[in-house]
Amino acid sequence: MPYDIRPLSDTLGAEIIGLDLAQPLDDATFAAVRQAHLDHLVLVFRDQRLSPQNQVAFSSRFGPLDRHPVTDAVLPDCPDVLVLSTKRKNGAFIGLPDAGPMWHSDLAYREHPALGTMLYALETPDYGGDTGFANMYKACEALPKHLADAVAGKRAVFLAGRNNKNRSFRKGLTKVEKDETPAVTHPIIRTHPETGRQSIFASPQHAVAIEGLDERESSEILTALFDHTAQPDFIYHHKWRVGDLTFWDNRCVQHIADLSRIDDPAYIRHMHRTTIGGGPVE
Ligand code: SIN
């Protein structure tokens, strides 16, 4: 299958044109895709027509899948697929309409956070609903010395849904789901297990404190760190097209969804997400 890999920005991202992911990729093509993912951090496969089972099959080639803690937003007949959707049935949202309100890395609040995430666009709005992706290798390389010193060797405390309290979330974790996802700690700076490069792992949606520091100092350092990681130089904004399957590397990328039109009844954004499990953060 001939295909092209074209960079999307100077920061990160490449689009792949010409691959049909509904068909199994041969080993050489799969190896090239895997390398492109390590090189570009976010891949966008254009013009796909994927069933949930196709998406699960492709995602699973990168490792075992992880299920999201919000269990009532998954496809009943394919529970590895999380539905992100502003559509409603009988008045209720059929999936998570507002996932990713702040910069984050998926499942960072788990002992073993996600390796990568695939998000497949079935319906996209005429405008709005972009996803921002930020290159945490670049952010790490550009850390001012005083901040690099302040976070060196430190671990942050990560909590599911912690920073969601200021928003009226349409679907959130139930008490049982919250109890099943207690706080964990991870290094603020991590080393990518495949590339060996360092990146910033702490992110505003889930990192609530720095272990061993008092609240004031911890909050000052995290605020400065998050101001640094959100700089435009590190960011690419993806404008979705129907048929895009994006695949980002949660080990070196943070992302955020634009939810500015979430309360507009004309705004329809409907996507299927699969999440590939990762290993320990080191
Ligand atoms: C997510 O954080 O998984 C959702 C990102 C998006 O909806 O753009």
Side-chain angles (χ1 to χ4, degrees), residues 46-60:
R46 299 286 194 192
D47 307 316
Q48 301 301 312
R49 289 171 70 88
L50 301 176
S51 67
Q53 291 74 18
N54 294 149
Q55 185 172 342
V56 166
F58 179 57
S59 307
S60 303

Side-chain angles (χ1 to χ4, degrees), residues 27-49:
D27 289 347
T29 307
F30 181 71
V33 165
R34 184 171 216 145
Q35 189 58 49
H37 189 240
L38 294 174
D39 294 343
H40 297 282
L41 289 54
V42 177
L43 298 179
V44 181
F45 300 88
R46 299 286 194 192
D47 307 316
Q48 301 301 312
R49 289 171 70 88

Side-chain angles (χ1 to χ4, degrees), residues 68 82 84 96-102 104-106 117 119 129-133 205 240 248 255-259 269 271 273 275:
H68 196 270
L82 178 72
L84 305 189
L96 295 178
D98 50 2
M102 301 174 81
H104 68 288
S105 171
D106 289 324
T117 303
L119 193 56
D130 300 352
T131 304
F133 294 103
Q205 191 166 319
W240 291 89
W248 61 86
H255 62 284
I256 189 170
D258 164 31
L259 302 177
R269 186 182 191 263
M271 308 209 168
R273 177 178 130 168
T275 313

Side-chain angles (χ1 to χ4, degrees), residues 5-24:
I5 302 179
R6 302 180 193 155
L8 283 164
S9 77
D10 291 340
T11 306
L12 53 67
E15 59 181 351
I16 302 197
I17 321 268
L19 283 184
D20 176 4
L21 301 178
Q23 310 300 326

